[in-house]
Amino acid sequence: QVQLMESGGGLVQPGGSLRLSCAASGSIFSVNNMAWYRQAPGKQRELVAGITSGGLTNYADSAKGPFTISRDNAKNTASLQMNSLKPEDTAVYYCRSCSGYGCLYVSWGPGTQVTVSS
């Protein structure tokens, strides 16, 4: 199906920035939507930002403004630019793809750790 691999995570100070990347392989031409999720310790996985094949985006309230999701279809990548990071943003970030109508087929990456701490 679709294989996803995240990169770009790491340790950053509050107020700093990180750019996460998601590389897709496999049945990439069938991908409709892509999204970034995150899961903090002891919490459920939550949507951070999503983007359709046409470029329509949606964000969690906490991500509006400081975060920007984008995709490069030619390079088969999706990115999440994270600015003004806060300790509350500490989590494992996952890339997700949807294929088919209404996200009929779902693929997940293994995740990348983001830690915001002084």
Side-chain angles (χ1 to χ4, degrees):
Q1 183 56 24
V2 177
Q3 292 79 48
L4 304 175
M5 181 61 67
E6 304 93 342
S7 63
L11 176 64
V12 65
Q13 294 183 345
S17 299
L18 281 176
R19 185 176 181 87
L20 305 182
S21 295
C22 175
S25 61
S27 303
I28 56 178
F29 295 108
S30 66
V31 174
N32 292 324
N33 305 326
M34 300 195 72
W36 286 94
Y37 286 72
R38 67 186 179 189
Q39 186 167 24
K43 297 183 178 180
Q44 292 186 327
R45 188 172 300 183
E46 64 176 354
L47 174 69
V48 179
I51 185 169
T52 69
S53 59
L56 183 65
T57 60
N58 68 290
Y59 297 89
D61 288 340
S62 62
K64 293 179 180 178
F67 290 8
T68 302
I69 188 172
S70 62
R71 66 190 298 171
D72 188 334
N73 292 329
K75 297 182 179 180
N76 301 317
T77 59
S79 299
L80 182 68
Q81 178 67 45
M82 303 186 294
N83 299 324
S84 302
L85 284 164
K86 303 175 181 178
E88 306 91 87
D89 296 318
T90 296
V92 176
Y93 284 71
Y94 299 90
C95 181
R96 186 222 68 195
S97 71
C98 289
S99 301
Y101 181 79
C103 202
L104 183 61
Y105 304 104
V106 181
S107 296
W108 292 91
T112 184
Q113 177 70 47
V114 172
T115 302
V116 184
S117 177
S118 60

